[in-house]
Amino acid sequence: MCVVAQDPAHQLLSANIELPTDGDLKKLAPEKSFAVTGGTMKEISARVEQSRAERQESPKAPKFAPAGQSTQMIVGAKSTPDAAILDTANRLYTRFKLKRVYYSGYSPIPLVDARLPAKSPPLVREHRLYQADWLLRFYGFRVEELTPPEQPDLSLELDPKLAWALRRRELFPVDVNRAPRESLLRVPGMGVRTVDRILRIRRWHRVTLADLGRLRVPLTRMKPFIVTADHRPTGLIDSARLAERVTPAATQLSLFTSAREALTGEL
């Protein structure tokens, strides 16, 4: 049986997959299965599409889950790598057009099952998964780019876009006055809104560092990775200390950090 929850405030349906792999489910939640939950998601997705088609013919037709559907995965209950978690999320987005996948860090309870870990995963892991999820959906990244075979877990020290850029230094620096939108979206610190503003600015004049400063972007992080009308980095991209130079100072995460990034789309 698959339990479907509804958020009345946002009219969002949620069929929770709970764990990222079928193997994890069989070990920890044998009463649940990907097949059953996937079937429920398929039914919801089909009903949403049917509702949209009905409303095109008759605008007064009732809406069905107008905010779409979501799911939740628990992180850290098993040693499943981030690559598998993101792969499952990506497949769910593609197959069932989910609006969101929510990642919840496992939290141990007294008298816990011996098969479960005694500690919660670090909060920053959940945060990195949300960042990577955003990159998959809105920045054109693929799972294997963010979590390659040699690094199946996301870095806890670096955000996933910066970690990727440091592995692919040969693709930088990017000329903000010439590069296509897809390349600009891969510059560390350059988010969706910033890229769209740059594309508008450069229709009228060549973009400078001052222009970027007015957009309130993290210039210290971006400068080694970009070329502007008045800036061309020299040797920075090959520096052995580049990661140290561009990594933001550590800050205390809050429950609202990922949500704020999700709203702004800036990574």
Side-chain angles (χ1 to χ4, degrees):
M1 180 180 72
C2 178
V3 177
V4 178
Q6 183 170 7
D7 179 350
H10 299 93
Q11 297 180 294
L12 181 74
L13 288 179
S14 180
N16 289 338
I17 199 69
E18 304 297 0
L19 293 167
T21 72
D22 208 28
D24 290 347
L25 284 175
K26 288 178 180 178
K27 291 177 181 178
L28 300 180
E31 73 281 2
K32 297 182 71 74
S33 75
F34 269 37
V36 173
T37 307
T40 301
M41 290 179 177
K42 184 177 181 180
E43 291 178 15
I44 294 173
S45 180
R47 185 66 186 88
V48 168
E49 291 301 319
Q50 180 184 346
S51 176
R52 288 174 180 168
E54 291 172 351
R55 287 182 59 77
Q56 287 181 348
E57 296 181 3
S58 176
K60 293 185 179 181
K63 297 180 181 180
F64 179 81
Q69 65 169 318
S70 66
T71 194
Q72 173 183 267
M73 284 193 282
I74 297 172
V75 177
K78 296 290 290 182
S79 58
T80 306
D82 293 336
I85 296 171
L86 292 172
D87 182 66
T88 295
N90 194 53
R91 286 188 287 110
L92 294 176
Y93 282 128
T94 302
R95 292 181 61 188
F96 306 120
K97 298 181 175 63
L98 265 65
K99 289 295 184 182
R100 285 298 303 268
V101 173
Y102 293 95
Y103 306 96
S104 298
Y106 161 75
S107 180
I109 58 175
L111 304 177
V112 70
D113 190 315
R115 295 172 298 176
L116 294 170
K119 294 183 178 181
S120 300
L123 179 60
V124 70
R125 184 185 182 194
E126 183 181 322
H127 180 61
R128 296 299 184 217
L129 284 167
Y130 275 114
Q131 290 177 317
D133 180 286
W134 201 253
L135 293 176
L136 292 174
R137 290 192 289 151
F138 301 111
Y139 287 69
F141 281 86
R142 302 188 306 276
V143 173
E144 58 270 24
E145 291 182 293
L146 301 176
T147 51
E150 66 275 15
Q151 291 181 290
D153 286 311
L154 298 167
S155 169
L156 299 182
E157 291 74 33
L158 305 174
D159 75 71
K161 189 202 280 192
L162 178 56
W164 171 83
L166 292 172
R167 290 195 299 269
R168 299 301 309 273
R169 300 187 192 202
E170 72 277 7
L171 301 178
F172 298 97
V174 169
D175 190 334
V176 299
N177 286 293
R178 296 177 179 271
R181 186 175 189 272
E182 294 74 18
S183 296
L184 294 175
L185 283 172
R186 291 182 171 236
V187 174
M190 195 173 288
V192 173
R193 293 193 305 176
T194 295
V195 168
D196 290 340
R197 289 169 178 171
I198 288 173
L199 293 176
R200 289 196 296 269
I201 292 171
R202 74 186 196 184
R203 293 174 188 169
W204 303 101
H205 64 82
R206 290 176 58 76
V207 178
T208 66
L209 287 180
D211 292 319
L212 296 180
R214 284 189 286 271
L215 296 179
R216 298 178 179 272
V217 299
L219 274 178
T220 299
R221 193 191 324 183
M222 289 171 50
K223 285 172 69 174
F225 298 98
I226 60 171
V227 171
T228 68
D230 57 349
H231 165 74
R232 180 176 292 275
T234 304
L236 290 178
I237 200 66
D238 297 317
S239 170
R241 301 186 64 182
L242 179 59
E244 178 183 336
R245 176 188 177 95
V246 298
T247 303
T251 57
Q252 179 67 41
L253 292 177
S254 75
L255 294 175
F256 304 102
T257 305
S258 295
R260 182 171 61 251
E261 287 181 346
L263 288 171
T264 61
E266 299 292 297
L267 286 175

